[in-house]
Amino acid sequence: MSAVADSAPPPRVVLLLKAPRPGAVKTRLAADLGPERAARIYRALVERQLAAVPMEWATDVFYAPADAKAEVRAWLGPRPRMVAQTEGDLGARLETAVADALATGPGGVLVLGGDCPGLDAATLREAAVALAAHDVVLGPANDGGYYLIGLKAPRPELFRGIAWSTAQVLASTVAKAEAGACSVARLRTLDDVDTVQDWLRCERLFPD
């Protein structure tokens, strides 16, 4: 790791996720594979993502729905801090989670969605190095969104007025960051898992 990263406190990692209830997660997968299998895939994706976070990094899980704390704690264990997601669209929930995480200490925050199996420990450390030298770090997803956003300070404008779940999410976010004179670093482009085709490309990573 670079000297810049070594001299800076590590970022805090935030995972936004849902309780893995059949019918409530990975609905596009569920339409083809059934809700039970889609929920099992979701559990495996999130568990892989959490395992990739360096153990010395503080980790927060922002979960939904609000009544799922015990369920999510039993699933993911004692390591992460558990926080209920706020109401509102994805932008509002991201904005609140970032502000909460940044208020806990220095080092910035990396926000993940939990469904990008290619986001490994090496890429997370690369994101930390990039965040030490930039205002915003983005991990582009092949569907036009992003699998990671890193920030050192609250940037609520990056989460407002975004057409979520469209192919314009990344481009709109970059445009807002640049309009605010933020320096932006991009990581390599990776796949999120939303469809059967996405799953088939990475299923080999999850042996039964």
Side-chain angles (χ1 to χ4, degrees), residues 20-27 29-42:
R21 299 173 181 176
V25 295
K26 291 297 166 197
T27 54
L29 271 180
D32 292 307
L33 301 179
E36 296 287 345
R37 186 176 179 199
R40 290 197 300 271
I41 289 171
Y42 181 71

Side-chain angles (χ1 to χ4, degrees), residues 8-201:
R12 194 172 195 95
V13 171
V14 165
L15 273 77
L16 255 66
L17 54 81
K18 297 179 181 178
R21 299 173 181 176
V25 295
K26 291 297 166 197
T27 54
R28 280 190 280 174
L29 271 180
D32 292 307
L33 301 179
E36 296 287 345
R37 186 176 179 199
R40 290 197 300 271
I41 289 171
Y42 181 71
R43 290 176 67 99
L45 288 166
V46 171
E47 288 164 11
R48 179 183 174 88
Q49 189 64 91
L50 184 60
V53 177
M55 287 299 297
E56 67 271 21
W57 292 8
T59 306
D60 299 337
V61 165
F62 281 73
Y63 62 87
D67 66 354
K69 182 175 183 178
E71 179 181 350
V72 175
R73 175 65 75 196
W75 170 31
L76 298 179
R79 177 186 176 191
R81 183 175 70 114
M82 297 286 174
V83 186
Q85 292 183 33
T86 56
E87 297 297 325
D89 69 0
L90 178 58
R93 289 179 279 127
L94 282 166
E95 183 180 334
T96 301
V98 166
D100 181 284
L102 288 173
T104 64
V109 60
L110 303 177
V111 184
L112 325 175
D115 57 358
C116 180
L119 179 52
D120 56 14
T123 307
L124 287 168
R125 292 189 184 278
E126 180 185 345
V129 171
L131 188 59
H134 296 82
D135 300 312
V136 182
V137 177
L138 290 165
N142 275 318
D143 61 5
Y146 55 79
Y147 59 83
L148 175 152
I149 184 167
L151 296 166
K152 288 188 289 194
R155 301 282 181 183
E157 68 275 12
L158 301 186
F159 306 117
R160 298 176 182 176
I162 300 290
W164 300 106
S165 300
T166 70
Q168 287 72 51
V169 170
L170 178 69
S172 297
T173 304
V174 171
K176 286 177 178 289
E178 291 177 343
C182 295
S183 58
V184 179
R186 298 195 195 203
L187 306 173
R188 62 193 176 112
T189 301
L190 296 172
D191 284 323
D192 282 336
V193 175
D194 293 310
T195 67
V196 170
Q197 291 73 27
D198 297 335
W199 172 242
L200 291 176
R201 283 195 293 270

